[in-house]
Structures are given as structure tokens and as C-alpha cells.
Amino acid sequence: MYKRAIITLSNVHRATDTIDVEFKLNDHSYAQKWAECIKSVQGAPNDFGFPRRLEEDPEIYQARIKAHLELIPELDFNVIDQDAVNTIHRYIEDNHTQADKLLTLHNDIHYLESLWEGAREVVFKKLQWVPPGIRIPMETSDYKCYTTQPCENYLEADFSHVGRTPHNTWYYKDDKSLSTSCRIQEDVTSGCMWWYKDNSHIYEDRKGFVEWFYENKSYFLRKYDIDWPHDPRMCYGRVILATADELPGPEWDFVQQLRVE
């Protein structure tokens, strides 16, 4: 049984200076499967873990997004606005077998949205690998690992860019295309997010989520045979994989390695 996850970080000014941050793995089925997935990936995560500090000018991300789109003839926009971002997002989710090649594009559109919303710093670090390593099919016990409990400085299971959870589709309300943007997770993957702050507040409005489910019940019944909003497969909450006692400063922003023991 795996007991801990260790992230090796390097300094943004002196790359040869490194520190290890140790996380205690939670004792549940999903964390153990995730550890197996981590054992199958090689090297540092994409972009050494996407940076926590945002660029100050939205045009930087808009230019990068346009450069990405030069390789996708189906997507052609004169202006990168919210409608364009939603269309790009739907494309990524609808072509999820190519998602590993679209990680940076996907990250850039969300960073752009963060700037539009007034954020200047990201309160989590995304750890994604290309290739992403093995995927392990989820079982009933894995779905029961989702929780809404408060938690800080923790690793959360991430979808590895193959679709939004139903809760995220409901919560953000910026993309109405359930058939492409909303997916029930089917596999445990190597993807994870390192949250510095607690984000459990987004799960407080369970009543609103339940009402939204019943408004869209036909979709979940048809696609997933789910007729109850409290079905564990609805993935309400997040899977907390592991927690750490201390959070390193922002100068330690490059992830060199993640290993499990």
C-alpha cells in the first residue's frame, strides 16, 4: 500500500536549488489507484506544473491561444472572447482522445478567463503529463471517495481534461452544451491539482445542484442511466488524494518530479 506522495520543487531563480514537499496519502481506493497511475508516468509534469502567477496582460494568452489554433483548422476566430473560449472548450472535450495534445491550450483558456474575472494568482497548481500514463477503470468504491469536507494544501484528483464533472458544468454556467462539456468520470488518471487554499465553499449549494439535475435528468438517464442526483457517480465534491502540513513559498514554483512510496 502506498503511504505518501513526494513533490520535488525547484526555485524559480536558482533551478539547481530543490526542496521536497511530502503529502500523506489518504487511505482509500481512489488514492491507491492514482498512485499506480503516477508510477506509470515519466519525468516532470507538463510545463513543470502550470505556474501559479498569471500573466498581467490578457493579450498574451489571446496570442498564445491563436497560435495553438493554427494547428486546428476547425477553429478560426478573429477575436478570442468568452464565446470563442466556450467553443474551444467544447472542442477539447468532444475530442477528448486528443486531450493530451491540447493541455497547454486548455490551460491558457482558463488562465485567460481567470484574468477576465480579476484574478492575479492561481490558488492551485495543475500537474498533468503527456503522455498521461495508464488509466484505471473506476468502481463503486472509487465514486464514494468524493467529499465536500474542507481541506487546505492538498492534492485533488483531476479529470485530465476529458470533461467537466456535472457539478462544474452547473457551477460555472458558461457552457450549456451538456453533451460535450459534461462527463461522468470513468477512469482514475495520473492528473491532479495541488490546491493551496480550501475550495469546499463551491459545494455548499447542494439544493441548486439538485434542482439543476432534475432539469437535465433526461440527459443523465439517457447517457449514464442515472436518475438520482445523489448517485455517487455524479462525482459531487472532490477526491482528496493526499495532504501536506506546510506550503512552500511562491518562489518554489517548478515541479521537477512527483513520486509515490
Side-chain angles (χ1 to χ4, degrees):
M1 178 180 288
Y2 297 101
K3 298 289 189 181
R4 59 181 185 161
I6 301 169
I7 295 180
T8 299
L9 300 165
S10 65
N11 192 284
V12 296
H13 304 296
R14 301 176 303 279
T16 56
D17 290 356
T18 62
I19 61 171
D20 283 346
V21 179
E22 181 175 326
F23 294 79
K24 180 182 178 182
L25 273 179
N26 276 343
D27 183 18
H28 56 56
S29 61
Y30 197 115
Q32 291 299 308
K33 289 183 177 180
W34 173 78
E36 289 292 342
C37 295
I38 288 296
K39 296 284 280 190
S40 72
V41 298
Q42 301 292 324
N46 203 61
D47 276 11
F48 296 96
F50 293 102
R52 72 172 77 176
R53 187 68 188 173
L54 290 170
E55 303 284 358
E56 295 184 1
D57 186 350
E59 291 184 0
I60 294 175
Y61 291 112
Q62 291 166 322
R64 279 166 41 174
I65 290 167
K66 285 187 175 182
H68 286 300
L69 296 184
E70 290 177 1
L71 303 176
I72 308 176
E74 303 96 307
L75 299 176
D76 184 20
F77 303 101
N78 292 324
V79 178
I80 304 299
D81 55 14
Q82 187 65 62
D83 287 340
V85 164
N86 289 347
T87 302
I88 295 167
H89 201 267
R90 285 196 295 272
Y91 176 87
I92 294 171
E93 308 306 3
D94 203 30
N95 293 272
H96 57 90
T97 56
Q98 304 176 39
D100 306 331
K101 302 180 181 67
L102 302 170
L103 286 177
T104 302
L105 170 61
H106 197 156
N107 200 66
D108 280 348
I109 65 174
H110 286 309
Y111 273 12
L112 177 59
E113 288 179 309
S114 295
L115 272 183
W116 285 338
E117 293 167 1
R120 286 297 175 266
E121 190 170 77
V122 183
V123 295
F124 61 82
K125 179 174 285 294
K126 298 178 73 69
L127 304 182
Q128 304 281 351
W129 285 262
V130 180
I134 64 172
R135 295 177 181 272
I136 301 177
M138 290 181 69
E139 300 171 270
T140 302
S141 59
D142 304 316
Y143 290 108
K144 292 180 178 178
C145 296
Y146 280 84
T147 178
T148 60
Q149 71 184 67
C151 192
E152 293 185 359
N153 197 16
Y154 66 96
L155 300 183
E156 174 190 350
D158 190 45
F159 243 40
S160 285
H161 296 118
V162 294
R164 280 180 165 176
T165 61
H167 176 269
N168 276 1
T169 299
W170 165 76
Y171 183 78
Y172 290 105
K173 298 180 176 66
D174 61 0
D175 192 340
K176 307 300 183 184
S177 179
L178 286 184
S179 63
T180 54
S181 73
C182 180
R183 296 179 185 273
I184 301 296
Q185 188 168 8
E186 299 174 349
D187 300 313
V188 178
T189 71
S190 58
C192 65
M193 299 171 70
W194 176 1
W195 282 89
Y196 310 132
K197 298 180 180 179
D198 175 47
N199 72 333
S200 60
H201 65 280
I202 69 173
Y203 302 107
E204 290 175 353
D205 186 10
R206 187 67 179 252
K207 181 180 178 181
F209 175 77
V210 169
E211 292 174 350
W212 172 84
F213 171 86
Y214 282 117
E215 291 171 2
N216 297 280
K217 180 178 176 180
S218 60
Y219 166 77
F220 292 105
L221 188 61
R222 179 181 71 254
K223 190 166 184 178
Y224 298 109
D225 196 28
I226 294 176
D227 62 359
W228 189 50
H230 307 291
D231 188 306
R233 290 174 296 166
M234 290 298 290
C235 307
Y236 191 85
R238 64 268 170 97
V239 177
I240 298 173
L241 298 165
T243 55
D245 292 330
E246 296 185 16
L247 180 67
E251 70 274 17
W252 302 98
D253 204 27
F254 295 145
V255 176
Q256 298 291 348
Q257 183 187 46
L258 189 161
R259 66 184 190 277
V260 291
E261 297 177 349

